Amino acid sequence: MHRPALARWSALATNLFPVWVLLAGALAMFRPQWFTWFSGPWIPVGLGIIMLGMGLTLRFDDFRGVLRMPWAVAVGFAGQYLIMPFLGWSLARLFQLESSLAVGLILVSCCPGGTASNVVTYLAGANVALSVVMTLCSTVAAVLMTPLLTAQLAGHYVPVDAWALFRSTLMVVLIPLLAGLTLHHTVPRLVHAVLPVAPLVSVIFITLICASIIGGSTAVLKQSALAVAGAVTLLHLGGFALGYLLARLCRLAPNDARTVSIEVGMQNSGLGATLARQHFASMPAAALPCALSATAHSILGSLLAGYWRWRQPRSGRPARPH
């Protein structure tokens, strides 16, 4: 297959990410053995590959982007690490989730922006450059913010080792991300060759992670499906709505506000699932809200992107395809 055709097919398959996650999750409910083999060390390895793929798309100039739009980045950062953790903690109490599900919901709410947010921002016709910089900033900061916030908010349910969470986040997020960034600049021809399929590889791994967790948690899901699905859905709906509201209150342009909304509402659910499996092994169901989160934010984000694209944004800086 020629490179342009490969790139088109890969892009099409990547944009169908919500469909793959939903289908795999549904299959995992009835044929868990098809996916539960992807467990143990495979999950952190899969997340590391996802973050490496994200790093391959980055440039050092993306770091300088923070200086070009500091206010918008600061607003998005505040939304990511204030709105989402507060929502996660509040919804866990509102729905009276059992401890393992509550910990999982809080954990995923304390994670950085999801890597799929850049694609959804592009589909929405919003500010892709801002989306990339926001994802980068929240991901780098997750090394500190995710362990600290999780320990503070989930400590009511179970003792949380913030230092162990820090080490794991460093290993599966920051190191692969920096490795990908380094490769982008040291072997550009190799990176250029693999970039057309890198997003699709990430989609495959996040789909396997989520389906594996759903397949291994079918009993819990059947017992608490309504509560946990409702809490996860409201987490992301609240993130989209409050992220947009915060951005407009801070006087960001409508297009930038849409970008902030998408970034705040979409979480790195793969990171949440990986950390849940590694650090809350005595609570296997803790990874379930993270797996459901990947499906929920992908579907809701795609629907939101379609609506905003249909509305044809009237202002905002031009988007940079990424």
Side-chain angles (χ1 to χ4, degrees), residues 117-143:
S117 61
N118 304 150
V119 176
V120 171
T121 300
Y122 175 72
L123 295 176
N127 190 337
V128 180
L130 175 60
S131 174
V132 170
V133 174
M134 285 180 56
T135 302
L136 175 62
C137 289
S138 68
T139 300
V140 172
V143 176

Side-chain angles (χ1 to χ4, degrees), residues 292-316:
L292 296 179
S293 166
T295 306
H297 79 220
S298 299
I299 294 172
L300 294 172
S302 298
L303 291 173
L304 187 61
Y307 171 73
W308 274 334
R309 195 174 188 88
W310 173 69
R311 286 290 302 268
Q312 296 180 348
R314 294 166 295 187
S315 60

Side-chain angles (χ1 to χ4, degrees), residues 105 245 282:
L105 185 69
L245 178 62
S282 63

Side-chain angles (χ1 to χ4, degrees), residues 21-93:
V21 175
L22 186 61
L23 285 176
L27 282 172
M29 289 285 294
F30 300 99
R31 292 289 186 272
Q33 67 275 15
W34 290 3
F35 301 98
T36 50
W37 61 268
F38 194 86
S39 59
W42 282 109
I43 290 181
V45 167
L47 181 64
I49 292 172
I50 292 168
M51 299 313 300
L52 177 66
M54 178 182 172
L56 291 176
T57 69
L58 295 175
R59 304 172 302 189
F60 286 117
D61 187 58
D62 291 325
F63 289 88
R64 289 193 288 269
V66 180
L67 302 177
R68 290 194 291 267
M69 37 190 163
W71 181 238
V73 173
V75 170
F77 189 89
Q80 184 68 61
Y81 286 118
L82 291 177
I83 289 174
M84 294 303 283
F86 173 75
L87 278 176
W89 177 82
S90 300
L91 289 168
R93 297 181 71 85

